[in-house]
Amino acid sequence: MISALFAILVFPGILFVSAFSLAAEFADRKIHARLQNRVGPPWFQPLADFIKLLGKAELIPTNARPLIFSITPVFALASAITAYLYVPLWTKDALFSFNGDVIVVLYLLTIPTMAFFIGGWYSTSLYAKIGSVRLMTQLFAYEVPLFIGILSGALLADTWSLYGIALFYHNNPMFRFFNIIGFAVSLIALMGKLEKVPFDIPEAETEIVAGVCTEYSGKFLALFRLALDVEMVVGASLLAAVYLPSGMSLGPIAGFAVYIVEIFFIVALISLLRTVFARLRIDQMVSFCWKYMAPLGIAQLLINLIVKAVLIK
Amino acid sequence: MAIKAVKKILTWARIKSPWIIHFNTGACNACDIEIIAALTPRYDLERFGVLLKGTPRHADVLVCSGPVTKEVEPRLKRIYEQMVEPKFVIAVGTCACTGGVFSGCYNIKGGIDTVIPVSAYIPGCPVSPKAIIDGTVKLLVSLEEKK
Ligand code: SF4
């Protein structure tokens, strides 16, 4: 009972993952700033933003549905944090693991997007509605490559549990090299999920003010932002568990250090890509995902099937 | 005691994270260009936690440039009302402070403070980005003293 509460509230639950995701946001913003030749924000910036937003007055637009408007940010954050319980892997025994948790994590990661959509739609501002529709359109584009990318890694490992996948690649490190296409596809699809720059179409501030979050302010906005940050950490952990080497055999402390380094490596990749590219249009994004990313994902699936038939059997 | 500590943390967070929204109330455009210049990598306002936001709901500081024309007056009021407390207004440029060269025109109401309360005035025609940064920092420091 106590240990379950500890796991939910402190480690690896709410407290740890919030602090970690704020650190990840800082890394993202700092790297982005340095790549643009700027100094960038100080280390406490995401924390200060979060506290300031919590301290602002409450405001619900008259036209919005008060219940849905105020409850969706909580849903978004809760499901993102729940997803995190299954992904961190740095010891021989995972914290919580069962056969099929890859699928659960992927679906839990979809819930924040749905919450953004519903919250934006029910705030009844025109900009928020346009943002919501774009968010949904984008969801259909990146979700398939993301699923194919992650699951083809699982296919080679012949298990649906994240722990099993990590263990398989830990025991057979060479098989990782077959998964490079899958890693690239999942990373790009993850950027679509996180609304990072080439795919920040739903919140394009030069076109539709702030997209789904236009009417959100104060603590609701704080929760939405935190949910996005947690999503970034969960997504990065997922990619790290499936594609990157893990420090499983190094013991808990060194393994944890390896895990942290890997997460920051993926965050750095994301900020590099978002600095280099400019925003796409929604139709360009959809056709890019379906014309290039999905076929690449399927190619990865085929490669893994052949590898499995030839090398493992 | 606890309330005091919470208040202190809140003030700290407010000072460290002022998000701004820029609104042109009728400027000749030179002040706007200088505001944009202050936000470029050369001056890098993100050092102080300043972010430019598109919607008044997210912003803490309304940065106004130019005199208030009669046409823009109701809109300025509306944008001010859409912002969430606590909120501040900075008047950038001589026109925004007093009406400047435009004062007395048939279509001009006057400075920003004839319509909404203003927390900081930054004069200059046009103001230099350094002056904008200096004024913003002074506003933030005054918050700390007020508590
Ligand atoms: S202060 Fe000068 S530069 Fe600024 S809006 Fe007025 S006339 Fe233009």
Side-chain angles (χ1 to χ4, degrees):
Chain A
M1 177 65 195
I2 300 264
S3 71
L5 263 186
F6 182 78
I8 290 172
L9 293 179
V10 184
F11 186 85
I14 298 173
L15 209 63
F16 170 73
V17 74
S18 310
F20 191 26
S21 53
L22 289 180
E25 189 199 330
F26 163 70
D28 179 36
R29 280 169 70 174
K30 186 80 177 177
I31 294 168
H32 183 59
R34 289 308 297 152
L35 288 172
Q36 291 181 336
N37 238 343
R38 290 189 287 133
V39 178
W43 63 270
F44 50 74
Q45 194 56 55
L47 183 67
D49 288 349
F50 185 70
I51 296 176
K52 179 208 73 180
L53 285 173
L54 284 187
K56 292 203 86 165
E58 208 166 305
L59 193 145
I60 297 174
T62 358
N63 286 339
R65 297 265 190 99
L67 181 68
I68 295 182
F69 187 82
S70 48
I71 212 165
T72 42
V74 182
F75 262 99
L77 184 59
S79 52
I81 290 182
T82 313
Y84 188 72
L85 288 179
Y86 299 103
V87 283
L89 287 160
W90 59 81
T91 48
K92 277 275 183 195
D93 36 15
L95 298 155
F96 302 91
S97 178
F98 58 90
N99 202 2
D101 54 6
V102 195
I103 315 271
V104 173
V105 168
L106 282 172
Y107 274 102
L108 278 175
L109 276 182
T110 312
I111 294 181
T113 316
M114 295 303 291
F116 290 142
F117 166 70
I118 293 170
W121 187 263
Y122 278 101
S123 54
T124 62
S125 147
L126 193 59
Y127 296 119
K129 277 192 171 174
I130 296 175
S132 305
V133 172
R134 288 184 179 189
L135 192 72
M136 263 349 231
T137 319
Q138 187 162 316
L139 176 82
F140 289 120
Y142 66 70
E143 202 75 347
V144 171
L146 182 67
F147 271 52
I148 297 181
I150 298 278
L151 294 186
S152 59
L155 185 80
L156 191 58
D158 208 12
T159 165
W160 292 121
S161 97
L162 268 174
Y163 173 62
I165 298 173
L167 199 64
F168 173 82
Y169 287 110
H170 185 66
N171 294 333
N172 313 287
M174 281 307 153
F175 280 117
R176 275 206 190 90
F177 293 105
F178 294 114
N179 277 338
I180 290 176
I181 304 175
F183 178 64
V185 167
S186 323
L187 185 71
I188 294 171
L190 182 68
M191 290 182 69
K193 187 177 257 320
L194 300 174
E195 300 170 22
K196 292 290 182 196
V197 154
F199 306 130
D200 70 333
I201 308 155
E203 55 169 56
E205 72 266 12
T206 41
E207 298 166 27
I208 48 170
V209 185
V212 276
C213 291
T214 303
E215 292 293 328
Y216 277 91
S217 57
K219 54 177 179 279
F220 306 128
L221 182 65
L223 294 185
F224 262 162
R225 284 171 58 93
L226 190 63
L228 261 184
D229 290 343
V230 173
E231 246 190 286
M232 176 155 82
V233 167
V234 177
S237 311
L238 195 64
L239 290 191
V242 177
Y243 295 112
L244 296 184
S246 77
M248 271 182 168
S249 53
L250 300 175
I253 293 171
F256 184 66
V258 169
Y259 166 75
I260 298 275
V261 168
E262 278 173 2
I263 300 304
F264 282 116
F265 169 68
I266 291 178
V267 169
L269 272 184
I270 289 177
S271 15
L272 175 68
L273 288 175
R274 91 178 168 109
T275 316
V276 171
F277 290 108
R279 186 188 313 129
L280 298 173
R281 237 173 25 229
I282 185 79
D283 59 319
Q284 289 171 332
M285 142 90 189
V286 172
S287 67
F288 171 72
C289 280
W290 282 109
K291 270 192 196 151
Y292 302 104
M293 302 247 294
L296 274 177
I298 291 172
Q300 173 70 61
L301 210 60
L302 283 178
I303 292 175
N304 281 6
L305 276 176
I306 294 167
V307 165
K308 206 171 157 187
V310 175
L311 290 182
I312 296 187
K313 282 284 147 60
Chain B
M1 191 61 202
I3 294 176
K4 227 179 176 181
V6 169
K7 266 197 181 145
K8 222 173 168 181
I9 293 174
L10 260 182
T11 322
W12 169 81
R14 264 171 210 154
I15 292 170
K16 294 300 176 195
S17 154
W19 290 355
I20 65 171
I21 176 167
H22 168 212
F23 184 53
N24 179 345
T25 54
C28 74
N29 228 331
C31 278
D32 302 305
I33 290 171
E34 298 300 323
I35 291 172
I36 303 301
L39 292 164
T40 50
R42 175 113 171 83
Y43 295 99
D44 186 26
L45 275 182
E46 207 185 356
R47 284 181 292 158
F48 305 115
V50 176
L51 284 185
L52 182 65
K53 287 286 164 182
T55 151
R57 297 263 194 245
H58 295 187
D60 310 295
V61 181
L62 179 62
V63 177
C64 295
S65 55
V68 183
T69 62
K70 293 211 165 115
E71 195 70 23
V72 94
E73 185 193 343
R75 293 166 176 96
L76 176 63
K77 267 190 199 149
R78 219 167 137 201
I79 286 187
Y80 184 69
E81 279 156 12
Q82 279 175 346
M83 289 171 66
V84 183
E85 290 284 352
K87 53 191 173 186
F88 309 97
V89 179
I90 299 184
V92 170
T94 311
C95 290
C97 298
T98 61
V101 284
F102 298 107
S103 52
C105 280
Y106 68 96
N107 58 347
I108 294 293
K109 185 93 195 294
I112 304 287
D113 53 5
T114 54
V115 183
I116 52 175
V118 174
S119 319
Y121 299 86
I122 308 175
C125 180
V127 261
S128 86
K130 284 175 193 157
I132 296 176
I133 296 171
D134 189 43
T136 317
V137 170
K138 277 194 178 131
L139 170 70
L140 298 176
V141 170
S142 79
L143 281 183
E144 187 167 33
E145 279 157 8
K146 241 192 293 173
K147 288 265 158 68

